[in-house]
Amino acid sequence: MKVILFGATGMVGQGVLQECLGSQEVESILSIGRRATAQTHSKLREIVHRDFTDFSAIEGELSGFDACFFCLGVSSLGMKEAEYRRVTYDFAVSAAQTLARLNPAMTFIYVSGAGTDSTGRGATMWARVKGQTENAIFELPFKAAFAFRPGYIQPLGGIVPKTAWLRALYSVAAPLYPVWKALFPNYVTTTAQVGRAMIHVAREGAPKRVLENRDINALC
């Protein structure tokens, strides 16, 4: 399986990349990001691309893939809707539109989030925008498209969040993960579980296109 990965330097993307590199089911990975991962592996090729609303300059590199794992995202904390929508909706939909045209037999998996509003009309800004993004991707002519909605994600394998405030949050939250896992197993997962579930869904499909946290965990 040949995979395109967006957001490989983020916390979720790092975990997905780790699982792809270690999986016998993944033949190669093309990472597309605004900065390089600083990793070297025989399976991995990278493209640093700045404008995520226009992929015309690299279209020649984007054909012949079986799956796309779109892990690029930001926290909505302190962001106005227009700015958050640009990074969340515009980036994902632009990439998906390009890939659907070049790889109609592709499976596209978008990392959304627990609590996303499928109607795209709710009062909570981030949930509304995420829901609109999911719906736009589902309308594209891929072989299949799925939205992953993880809850709390515990980073494994030495992965740390990029931003300072998230690193501080996880330094406090990480020791409590075993407790949360025991008390709320349907609402917590790990970067490894998300990555393994993505590979499984890309190869085998899933009975529904929106996978909540419990569904992700059940796959791996």
Side-chain angles (χ1 to χ4, degrees):
M1 181 167 59
K2 296 180 179 180
V3 171
I4 293 181
L5 173 60
F6 286 85
T9 60
M11 188 183 79
V12 175
Q14 288 180 63
V16 173
L17 178 58
Q18 282 185 358
E19 295 305 312
C20 286
L21 293 176
S23 172
Q24 295 182 352
E25 297 180 349
V26 177
E27 175 186 343
S28 64
I29 308 105
L30 174 62
S31 170
I32 301 176
R34 287 169 290 184
R35 60 190 180 91
T37 65
Q39 293 197 47
T40 302
H41 195 282
S42 60
K43 288 185 180 182
L44 178 63
R45 185 164 65 91
E46 299 194 62
I47 295 176
V48 175
H49 185 69
R50 300 297 181 185
D51 186 357
F52 274 62
T53 63
D54 183 1
F55 294 92
S56 58
I58 62 170
E59 277 193 9
E61 307 288 333
L62 304 181
S63 296
F65 289 88
D66 304 297
C68 176
F69 301 152
F70 196 93
C71 305
L72 180 67
V74 295
S75 167
S76 64
L77 187 65
M79 296 184 74
K80 294 184 178 180
E81 182 165 351
E83 181 185 9
Y84 182 73
R85 182 181 177 83
R86 179 174 180 272
V87 177
T88 301
Y89 181 96
D90 293 354
F91 286 5
V93 173
S94 178
Q97 288 172 337
T98 301
L99 292 176
R101 175 165 47 83
L102 298 173
N103 302 276
M106 169 181 278
T107 295
F108 191 99
I109 300 178
Y110 170 67
V111 177
S112 187
T116 291
D117 174 19
S118 292
T119 71
R121 297 190 298 270
T124 303
M125 184 271 285
W126 74 264
R128 180 173 64 248
V129 174
K130 285 276 193 182
Q132 292 168 358
T133 306
E134 289 181 358
N135 293 336
I137 290 169
F138 291 153
E139 291 175 359
L140 294 172
F142 288 111
K143 180 184 78 172
F146 300 93
F148 274 37
R149 294 182 178 179
Y152 173 85
I153 304 173
Q154 178 66 29
L156 302 178
I159 294 170
V160 294
K162 289 189 300 183
T163 57
W165 72 268
L166 273 177
R167 288 196 297 272
L169 175 64
Y170 271 92
S171 68
V172 175
L176 299 174
Y177 172 70
V179 177
W180 292 344
K181 182 179 179 181
L183 294 177
F184 311 107
N186 289 332
Y187 301 97
V188 298
T189 189
T190 69
T191 50
Q193 286 177 294
V194 172
R196 290 197 296 268
M198 281 193 168
I199 294 169
H200 176 87
V201 170
R203 286 197 53 94
E204 306 295 335
K208 53 185 178 179
R209 61 186 184 181
V210 174
L211 300 172
E212 302 289 352
N213 196 100
R214 66 176 67 85
D215 304 313
I216 295 168
N217 288 347
L219 291 170
C220 50

Coordinates of all heavy atoms in Angstrom, one line a residue, residues 65-154:
F65 N -1.3 6.5 -5.6 CA -1.4 6.2 -4.2 C -2.7 5.5 -3.8 O -3.7 5.8 -4.4 CB -1.2 7.5 -3.3 CG 0.2 8.1 -3.4 CD1 0.5 8.9 -4.4 CD2 1.1 7.6 -2.5 CE1 1.8 9.4 -4.5 CE2 2.4 8.1 -2.5 CZ 2.8 9.0 -3.5
D66 N -2.6 4.7 -2.8 CA -3.8 3.9 -2.4 C -4.6 4.5 -1.2 O -5.7 4.3 -1.1 CB -3.3 2.5 -1.9 CG -2.5 1.8 -3.0 OD1 -3.1 1.5 -4.0 OD2 -1.3 1.5 -2.8
A67 N -3.9 5.3 -0.4 CA -4.5 5.9 0.7 C -3.9 7.3 1.1 O -2.7 7.5 0.8 CB -4.4 5.0 1.9
C68 N -4.7 8.1 1.7 CA -4.2 9.4 2.3 C -4.6 9.4 3.7 O -5.8 9.2 4.1 CB -4.7 10.6 1.5 SG -4.2 12.2 2.3
F69 N -3.7 9.7 4.6 CA -4.0 9.9 6.0 C -3.8 11.4 6.3 O -2.6 11.9 6.4 CB -3.0 9.1 6.9 CG -3.1 7.6 6.7 CD1 -2.0 6.8 6.9 CD2 -4.3 7.0 6.2 CE1 -2.1 5.4 6.7 CE2 -4.4 5.6 6.0 CZ -3.3 4.8 6.2
F70 N -4.9 12.1 6.5 CA -4.8 13.6 6.7 C -4.8 13.9 8.2 O -5.9 13.9 8.8 CB -5.9 14.3 5.9 CG -5.7 15.8 5.8 CD1 -5.0 16.2 4.6 CD2 -6.0 16.7 6.8 CE1 -4.8 17.6 4.5 CE2 -5.7 18.0 6.7 CZ -5.1 18.5 5.5
C71 N -3.7 14.2 8.7 CA -3.5 14.4 10.2 C -3.2 15.8 10.5 O -2.9 16.1 11.7 CB -2.4 13.5 10.8 SG -2.6 11.7 10.4
L72 N -3.2 16.7 9.6 CA -2.9 18.1 9.8 C -4.0 18.8 10.5 O -5.2 18.7 10.1 CB -2.6 18.8 8.4 CG -2.3 20.3 8.5 CD1 -0.9 20.5 9.1 CD2 -2.3 20.8 7.1
G73 N -3.7 19.5 11.6 CA -4.7 20.2 12.3 C -4.2 21.1 13.4 O -3.0 21.1 13.7
V74 N -5.0 22.0 13.9 CA -4.6 22.9 14.9 C -5.7 23.0 16.0 O -6.8 22.7 15.7 CB -4.3 24.4 14.4 CG1 -3.2 24.4 13.4 CG2 -5.6 24.9 13.7
S75 N -5.3 23.5 17.2 CA -6.3 23.7 18.2 C -7.0 25.0 17.9 O -6.4 26.0 17.3 CB -5.6 23.9 19.5 OG -6.4 24.4 20.5
S76 N -8.3 25.1 18.2 CA -9.1 26.3 17.9 C -8.9 27.3 19.0 O -9.4 28.4 18.9 CB -10.5 25.9 17.8 OG -11.0 25.4 19.1
L77 N -8.1 27.0 20.1 CA -7.9 27.9 21.2 C -7.4 29.2 20.8 O -6.3 29.3 20.2 CB -7.0 27.3 22.2 CG -6.8 28.0 23.6 CD1 -8.1 28.0 24.3 CD2 -5.7 27.4 24.4
G78 N -8.1 30.3 21.0 CA -7.6 31.7 20.7 C -7.8 32.0 19.2 O -7.3 33.1 18.8
M79 N -8.4 31.2 18.4 CA -8.5 31.5 17.0 C -9.9 31.9 16.6 O -10.9 31.4 17.2 CB -8.1 30.2 16.2 CG -6.7 29.7 16.3 SD -6.4 28.3 15.2 CE -6.3 29.1 13.6
K80 N -9.9 32.9 15.7 CA -11.2 33.3 15.2 C -11.7 32.3 14.1 O -10.8 31.6 13.5 CB -11.1 34.7 14.6 CG -10.8 35.8 15.7 CD -10.8 37.2 15.1 CE -10.6 38.2 16.2 NZ -10.6 39.6 15.6
E81 N -13.0 32.3 13.8 CA -13.5 31.3 13.0 C -12.9 31.3 11.6 O -12.6 30.2 11.0 CB -15.0 31.4 12.8 CG -15.6 30.3 12.0 CD -17.1 30.1 12.1 OE1 -17.7 30.8 13.0 OE2 -17.7 29.3 11.3
A82 N -12.7 32.5 11.0 CA -12.1 32.6 9.6 C -10.7 31.9 9.6 O -10.4 31.2 8.6 CB -12.1 34.0 9.2
E83 N -9.9 32.2 10.6 CA -8.6 31.7 10.6 C -8.6 30.2 10.8 O -7.9 29.4 10.2 CB -7.8 32.3 11.7 CG -6.3 31.9 11.9 CD -5.6 32.5 13.1 OE1 -6.3 33.1 13.9 OE2 -4.4 32.3 13.2
Y84 N -9.4 29.7 11.8 CA -9.5 28.3 12.0 C -10.1 27.5 10.8 O -9.6 26.4 10.5 CB -10.4 28.1 13.3 CG -10.5 26.6 13.7 CD1 -9.5 25.9 14.3 CD2 -11.7 25.9 13.4 CE1 -9.6 24.6 14.6 CE2 -11.8 24.6 13.8 CZ -10.8 23.9 14.4 OH -10.9 22.6 14.7
R85 N -11.0 28.1 10.2 CA -11.6 27.5 9.0 C -10.6 27.3 7.9 O -10.6 26.3 7.2 CB -12.8 28.3 8.5 CG -13.5 27.7 7.3 CD -14.7 28.5 6.8 NE -15.3 28.0 5.7 CZ -16.2 27.0 5.7 NH1 -16.6 26.5 6.8 NH2 -16.7 26.5 4.5
R86 N -9.8 28.3 7.7 CA -8.7 28.2 6.7 C -7.8 27.1 6.9 O -7.5 26.3 5.9 CB -7.9 29.5 6.6 CG -6.8 29.5 5.5 CD -6.1 30.9 5.4 NE -5.1 30.8 4.4 CZ -3.9 30.5 4.6 NH1 -3.5 30.1 5.8 NH2 -3.0 30.4 3.6
V87 N -7.3 26.9 8.1 CA -6.4 25.8 8.4 C -7.1 24.5 8.4 O -6.6 23.4 8.0 CB -5.7 26.1 9.7 CG1 -4.8 24.9 10.1 CG2 -4.9 27.4 9.6
T88 N -8.3 24.4 8.9 CA -9.1 23.2 9.1 C -9.8 22.8 7.9 O -9.6 21.7 7.4 CB -10.0 23.3 10.3 OG1 -9.3 23.6 11.5 CG2 -10.8 22.0 10.5
Y89 N -10.7 23.6 7.4 CA -11.5 23.3 6.2 C -10.7 23.4 4.9 O -10.7 22.5 4.1 CB -12.8 24.1 6.2 CG -13.7 23.8 5.1 CD1 -14.8 22.9 5.3 CD2 -13.6 24.4 3.8 CE1 -15.7 22.7 4.2 CE2 -14.4 24.2 2.8 CZ -15.5 23.3 3.0 OH -16.4 23.0 2.0
D90 N -10.2 24.6 4.7 CA -9.6 24.9 3.4 C -8.4 24.0 3.0 O -8.3 23.5 1.9 CB -9.2 26.4 3.3 CG -10.3 27.4 3.3 OD1 -11.5 26.9 3.3 OD2 -10.1 28.6 3.4
F91 N -7.6 23.8 4.0 CA -6.4 22.9 3.8 C -6.8 21.5 3.4 O -6.3 20.9 2.5 CB -5.5 22.9 5.0 CG -4.7 24.2 5.1 CD1 -4.9 25.3 4.3 CD2 -3.7 24.3 6.1 CE1 -4.2 26.5 4.5 CE2 -3.0 25.5 6.3 CZ -3.2 26.6 5.5
A92 N -7.7 20.9 4.3 CA -8.1 19.5 4.1 C -8.9 19.3 2.8 O -8.6 18.4 2.0 CB -8.9 19.1 5.3
V93 N -9.8 20.2 2.5 CA -10.7 20.1 1.3 C -9.8 20.3 0.1 O -10.0 19.6 -0.9 CB -11.9 21.0 1.4 CG1 -12.7 20.9 0.1 CG2 -12.8 20.6 2.6
S94 N -8.9 21.2 0.1 CA -8.1 21.5 -1.1 C -7.2 20.2 -1.4 O -7.1 19.8 -2.6 CB -7.2 22.7 -0.9 OG -6.3 22.9 -2.0
A95 N -6.6 19.7 -0.4 CA -5.8 18.4 -0.6 C -6.7 17.3 -1.1 O -6.4 16.6 -2.0 CB -5.2 18.1 0.7
A96 N -7.9 17.2 -0.5 CA -8.8 16.1 -0.8 C -9.3 16.2 -2.3 O -9.4 15.2 -3.0 CB -10.0 16.0 0.2
Q97 N -9.6 17.4 -2.7 CA -10.1 17.6 -4.0 C -9.0 17.3 -5.0 O -9.3 16.6 -6.1 CB -10.5 19.1 -4.2 CG -11.8 19.5 -3.5 CD -12.1 20.9 -3.5 OE1 -11.2 21.8 -3.7 NE2 -13.4 21.3 -3.4
T98 N -7.8 17.7 -4.8 CA -6.7 17.3 -5.7 C -6.5 15.8 -5.7 O -6.3 15.3 -6.8 CB -5.4 18.0 -5.2 OG1 -5.6 19.4 -5.1 CG2 -4.2 17.7 -6.1
L99 N -6.5 15.2 -4.6 CA -6.2 13.7 -4.6 C -7.4 12.9 -5.2 O -7.1 11.9 -5.8 CB -5.9 13.3 -3.1 CG -4.6 13.8 -2.6 CD1 -4.5 13.4 -1.1 CD2 -3.4 13.4 -3.4
A100 N -8.6 13.4 -5.0 CA -9.7 12.7 -5.6 C -9.7 12.7 -7.1 O -10.1 11.7 -7.8 CB -11.0 13.3 -5.1
R101 N -9.2 13.8 -7.6 CA -9.1 13.9 -9.1 C -7.9 13.0 -9.6 O -8.0 12.4 -10.7 CB -8.8 15.4 -9.5 CG -8.6 15.6 -10.9 CD -8.7 17.1 -11.3 NE -8.0 17.9 -10.3 CZ -6.7 18.2 -10.4 NH1 -5.9 17.7 -11.3 NH2 -6.1 19.0 -9.5
L102 N -6.8 12.9 -8.9 CA -5.7 12.2 -9.3 C -5.7 10.7 -8.9 O -5.0 9.9 -9.6 CB -4.4 12.8 -8.7 CG -4.1 14.3 -9.2 CD1 -2.9 14.8 -8.4 CD2 -3.9 14.4 -10.7
N103 N -6.4 10.4 -7.8 CA -6.4 9.0 -7.3 C -7.8 8.6 -7.0 O -8.2 8.5 -5.8 CB -5.5 8.9 -6.1 CG -4.1 9.3 -6.3 OD1 -3.3 8.5 -6.8 ND2 -3.8 10.6 -6.0
P104 N -8.7 8.4 -7.9 CA -10.1 8.1 -7.6 C -10.3 6.8 -6.9 O -11.3 6.6 -6.2 CB -10.8 8.1 -8.9 CG -9.7 7.9 -9.9 CD -8.5 8.6 -9.4
A105 N -9.3 5.9 -6.9 CA -9.4 4.6 -6.2 C -8.8 4.7 -4.8 O -8.7 3.7 -4.2 CB -8.7 3.5 -7.0
M106 N -8.5 5.9 -4.4 CA -7.9 6.1 -3.1 C -8.9 6.0 -1.9 O -10.1 6.4 -2.1 CB -7.2 7.5 -3.1 CG -6.7 7.9 -1.7 SD -5.9 9.6 -1.8 CE -4.3 9.1 -2.3
T107 N -8.4 5.6 -0.7 CA -9.2 5.7 0.5 C -8.6 6.9 1.3 O -7.4 7.0 1.5 CB -9.0 4.5 1.4 OG1 -9.7 3.4 0.7 CG2 -9.7 4.7 2.7
F108 N -9.4 7.9 1.6 CA -9.0 9.1 2.3 C -9.5 9.1 3.7 O -10.7 8.9 4.0 CB -9.6 10.3 1.6 CG -9.0 11.6 2.0 CD1 -8.0 12.3 1.3 CD2 -9.5 12.3 3.2 CE1 -7.5 13.5 1.7 CE2 -9.0 13.5 3.6 CZ -8.0 14.1 2.8
I109 N -8.6 9.2 4.7 CA -8.9 9.2 6.1 C -8.6 10.5 6.7 O -7.4 11.0 6.7 CB -8.2 8.0 6.8 CG1 -8.7 6.7 6.2 CG2 -8.6 8.1 8.3 CD1 -8.0 5.5 6.9
Y110 N -9.5 11.2 7.3 CA -9.4 12.5 7.9 C -9.5 12.4 9.4 O -10.4 11.9 9.9 CB -10.5 13.5 7.3 CG -10.6 14.8 8.0 CD1 -9.6 15.7 7.9 CD2 -11.7 15.1 8.8 CE1 -9.7 17.0 8.5 CE2 -11.8 16.3 9.4 CZ -10.8 17.3 9.3 OH -10.9 18.5 9.9
V111 N -8.5 13.0 10.1 CA -8.5 13.0 11.5 C -9.3 14.2 12.0 O -8.9 15.4 11.8 CB -7.1 13.1 12.1 CG1 -7.2 13.2 13.6 CG2 -6.3 11.8 11.7
S112 N -10.5 13.9 12.5 CA -11.4 15.0 13.0 C -11.3 15.0 14.5 O -10.2 15.2 15.0 CB -12.8 14.6 12.6 OG -13.7 15.6 12.9
G113 N -12.3 14.9 15.3 CA -12.2 14.9 16.7 C -13.5 14.6 17.4 O -14.6 14.8 16.8
A114 N -13.4 14.0 18.6 CA -14.6 13.7 19.4 C -15.5 14.9 19.6 O -14.9 16.0 19.9 CB -14.2 13.0 20.7
G115 N -16.8 14.8 19.4 CA -17.6 16.0 19.6 C -17.9 16.8 18.3 O -18.6 17.8 18.4
T116 N -17.3 16.3 17.2 CA -17.6 17.0 15.9 C -19.1 17.0 15.6 O -19.8 16.1 15.8 CB -16.8 16.4 14.8 OG1 -15.4 16.6 15.0 CG2 -17.1 16.9 13.4
D117 N -19.5 18.2 15.1 CA -20.9 18.4 14.7 C -21.2 18.0 13.3 O -20.8 18.7 12.3 CB -21.3 19.8 15.0 CG -22.7 20.2 14.5 OD1 -23.5 19.2 14.3 OD2 -23.0 21.4 14.3
S118 N -21.8 16.8 13.1 CA -22.0 16.3 11.7 C -23.0 17.2 10.9 O -22.9 17.1 9.7 CB -22.6 14.9 11.8 OG -21.6 14.0 12.3
T119 N -23.8 18.0 11.6 CA -24.7 18.8 10.8 C -24.0 20.0 10.2 O -24.5 20.6 9.3 CB -25.9 19.4 11.7 OG1 -25.3 20.3 12.7 CG2 -26.5 18.2 12.5
G120 N -22.8 20.4 10.8 CA -22.1 21.6 10.4 C -22.8 22.9 10.7 O -22.5 23.9 10.1
R121 N -23.8 22.8 11.6 CA -24.6 24.1 11.8 C -24.7 24.4 13.3 O -25.4 25.3 13.7 CB -26.0 23.9 11.2 CG -26.0 23.7 9.7 CD -27.4 23.8 9.2 NE -28.3 22.7 9.8 CZ -28.4 21.5 9.2 NH1 -27.8 21.2 8.1 NH2 -29.2 20.6 9.7
G122 N -24.0 23.7 14.2 CA -24.1 23.9 15.6 C -23.5 25.2 16.1 O -22.8 25.9 15.4
A123 N -23.6 25.4 17.4 CA -23.2 26.7 18.0 C -21.7 26.6 18.3 O -21.0 27.7 18.4 CB -23.9 26.9 19.3
T124 N -21.1 25.5 18.5 CA -19.7 25.4 18.8 C -18.8 25.5 17.6 O -18.9 24.6 16.7 CB -19.3 24.1 19.6 OG1 -20.2 24.0 20.7 CG2 -17.9 24.0 20.0
M125 N -18.0 26.5 17.5 CA -17.3 26.9 16.3 C -16.4 25.7 15.7 O -16.5 25.3 14.6 CB -16.4 28.1 16.5 CG -15.7 28.6 15.2 SD -14.0 27.8 15.0 CE -13.1 28.7 16.2
W126 N -15.5 25.2 16.6 CA -14.6 24.2 16.1 C -15.4 22.9 15.6 O -15.0 22.3 14.6 CB -13.6 23.8 17.1 CG -14.1 22.9 18.2 CD1 -14.5 23.3 19.5 CD2 -14.2 21.5 18.2 NE1 -14.9 22.2 20.2 CE2 -14.8 21.1 19.5 CE3 -14.0 20.5 17.3 CZ2 -15.1 19.8 19.8 CZ3 -14.3 19.2 17.6 CH2 -14.8 18.8 18.8
A127 N -16.4 22.5 16.3 CA -17.2 21.3 16.0 C -17.9 21.5 14.7 O -18.1 20.6 13.9 CB -18.1 21.0 17.1
R128 N -18.4 22.7 14.5 CA -19.2 23.1 13.3 C -18.2 23.0 12.1 O -18.6 22.4 11.0 CB -19.8 24.5 13.4 CG -20.6 24.9 12.2 CD -21.2 26.3 12.5 NE -20.3 27.3 12.7 CZ -20.2 28.0 13.9 NH1 -20.8 27.6 15.0 NH2 -19.3 29.0 14.0
V129 N -17.1 23.6 12.2 CA -16.1 23.6 11.1 C -15.6 22.2 10.8 O -15.5 21.8 9.6 CB -14.9 24.6 11.4 CG1 -13.9 24.5 10.3 CG2 -15.4 26.0 11.5
K130 N -15.3 21.4 11.8 CA -14.9 20.1 11.6 C -16.0 19.3 10.9 O -15.7 18.4 10.0 CB -14.5 19.4 12.9 CG -13.2 19.8 13.5 CD -12.1 19.0 13.0 CE -10.8 19.2 13.8 NZ -9.6 18.5 13.3
G131 N -17.2 19.4 11.3 CA -18.3 18.7 10.6 C -18.5 19.1 9.2 O -18.7 18.3 8.3
Q132 N -18.3 20.4 8.9 CA -18.4 20.9 7.5 C -17.2 20.2 6.7 O -17.4 19.9 5.5 CB -18.3 22.4 7.4 CG -19.5 23.1 8.0 CD -19.3 24.6 8.2 OE1 -18.3 25.1 8.0 NE2 -20.4 25.2 8.7
T133 N -16.1 20.1 7.3 CA -14.9 19.5 6.6 C -15.2 18.1 6.3 O -14.9 17.6 5.2 CB -13.7 19.7 7.5 OG1 -13.5 21.0 7.8 CG2 -12.4 19.2 6.7
E134 N -15.6 17.3 7.3 CA -16.0 15.9 7.1 C -17.0 15.8 5.9 O -16.8 14.9 5.0 CB -16.6 15.3 8.3 CG -15.7 15.1 9.5 CD -16.4 14.5 10.7 OE1 -17.6 14.2 10.6 OE2 -15.7 14.2 11.7
N135 N -18.0 16.6 5.9 CA -19.1 16.4 4.9 C -18.6 16.7 3.5 O -19.0 16.1 2.6 CB -20.3 17.3 5.3 CG -21.0 16.9 6.6 OD1 -20.9 15.7 6.9 ND2 -21.6 17.8 7.2
A136 N -17.7 17.7 3.4 CA -17.2 18.1 2.1 C -16.3 17.0 1.6 O -16.3 16.7 0.4 CB -16.3 19.4 2.2
I137 N -15.5 16.3 2.4 CA -14.7 15.2 2.0 C -15.5 14.0 1.6 O -15.2 13.3 0.6 CB -13.7 14.8 3.1 CG1 -12.6 16.0 3.3 CG2 -13.0 13.5 2.9 CD1 -11.8 15.8 4.6
F138 N -16.6 13.7 2.3 CA -17.5 12.6 2.0 C -18.1 12.8 0.7 O -18.5 11.8 0.0 CB -18.5 12.4 3.1 CG -18.0 12.0 4.4 CD1 -18.7 12.3 5.6 CD2 -16.9 11.2 4.5 CE1 -18.3 11.9 6.8 CE2 -16.4 10.8 5.8 CZ -17.1 11.1 6.9
E139 N -18.3 14.0 0.2 CA -18.9 14.2 -1.1 C -18.0 14.0 -2.3 O -18.5 13.9 -3.4 CB -19.5 15.7 -1.2 CG -20.6 15.9 -0.2 CD -21.1 17.4 -0.2 OE1 -20.4 18.2 -0.9 OE2 -22.0 17.7 0.5
L140 N -16.7 13.9 -2.0 CA -15.7 13.7 -3.1 C -15.7 12.3 -3.7 O -16.0 11.3 -2.9 CB -14.4 14.2 -2.7 CG -14.3 15.6 -2.3 CD1 -12.9 16.0 -1.7 CD2 -14.5 16.5 -3.6
P141 N -15.3 12.1 -4.9 CA -15.4 10.8 -5.5 C -14.2 9.8 -5.2 O -13.6 9.3 -6.2 CB -15.5 11.1 -7.0 CG -14.7 12.4 -7.2 CD -15.0 13.2 -5.9
F142 N -13.9 9.6 -4.0 CA -13.0 8.7 -3.6 C -13.6 7.3 -3.6 O -14.8 7.1 -3.5 CB -12.5 8.9 -2.2 CG -11.6 10.1 -2.0 CD1 -12.0 11.2 -1.3 CD2 -10.3 10.1 -2.5 CE1 -11.2 12.4 -1.2 CE2 -9.4 11.2 -2.4 CZ -9.9 12.3 -1.7
K143 N -12.8 6.2 -3.7 CA -13.3 4.9 -3.4 C -14.0 4.8 -2.1 O -15.0 4.2 -2.0 CB -12.1 3.9 -3.5 CG -12.6 2.4 -3.3 CD -11.4 1.5 -3.3 CE -10.7 1.5 -1.9 NZ -9.7 0.4 -1.8
A144 N -13.3 5.4 -1.1 CA -13.9 5.5 0.3 C -13.3 6.6 1.0 O -12.1 7.0 0.8 CB -13.7 4.1 1.0
A145 N -14.1 7.2 1.9 CA -13.6 8.2 2.8 C -14.1 8.0 4.2 O -15.3 7.6 4.4 CB -14.0 9.6 2.3
F146 N -13.2 8.3 5.2 CA -13.6 8.1 6.6 C -13.1 9.3 7.4 O -12.1 9.9 7.1 CB -12.9 6.8 7.1 CG -13.3 5.6 6.4 CD1 -12.6 5.1 5.3 CD2 -14.5 4.9 6.7 CE1 -12.9 4.0 4.6 CE2 -14.9 3.7 6.0 CZ -14.1 3.3 4.9
A147 N -13.8 9.5 8.5 CA -13.4 10.5 9.5 C -13.1 9.8 10.8 O -14.0 9.0 11.3 CB -14.5 11.5 9.7
F148 N -12.0 10.0 11.4 CA -11.6 9.5 12.7 C -11.9 10.5 13.7 O -11.4 11.7 13.6 CB -10.1 9.1 12.7 CG -9.8 7.7 12.2 CD1 -10.5 7.1 11.2 CD2 -8.8 6.9 12.8 CE1 -10.2 5.9 10.7 CE2 -8.5 5.7 12.4 CZ -9.2 5.1 11.3
R149 N -12.6 10.2 14.8 CA -12.9 11.1 15.9 C -12.3 10.7 17.2 O -13.1 10.3 18.1 CB -14.4 11.3 16.0 CG -15.0 12.0 14.8 CD -16.5 12.2 15.0 NE -17.2 12.9 13.9 CZ -18.5 13.1 13.9 NH1 -19.3 12.7 14.9 NH2 -19.0 13.7 12.9
P150 N -11.0 10.7 17.4 CA -10.5 10.3 18.7 C -10.8 11.3 19.8 O -11.0 12.5 19.5 CB -8.9 10.3 18.4 CG -8.8 11.3 17.3 CD -10.0 11.2 16.4
G151 N -10.7 10.8 21.0 CA -10.9 11.7 22.2 C -9.5 12.1 22.7 O -8.7 12.7 21.9
Y152 N -9.2 11.8 23.9 CA -7.9 12.0 24.4 C -6.9 11.1 23.8 O -7.1 9.9 23.8 CB -7.9 11.9 26.0 CG -6.5 12.0 26.5 CD1 -5.9 13.2 26.8 CD2 -5.7 10.9 26.8 CE1 -4.6 13.3 27.4 CE2 -4.4 10.9 27.3 CZ -3.9 12.2 27.6 OH -2.6 12.3 28.1
I153 N -5.8 11.6 23.3 CA -4.8 10.8 22.6 C -3.5 10.8 23.4 O -2.9 11.9 23.6 CB -4.5 11.2 21.2 CG1 -5.8 11.3 20.4 CG2 -3.5 10.3 20.5 CD1 -5.6 11.9 19.0
Q154 N -3.1 9.6 23.9 CA -1.8 9.5 24.6 C -0.7 9.3 23.7 O -0.7 8.3 22.9 CB -1.9 8.4 25.6 CG -0.6 8.2 26.4 CD -0.3 9.3 27.4 OE1 -1.2 10.0 27.8 NE2 1.0 9.6 27.6

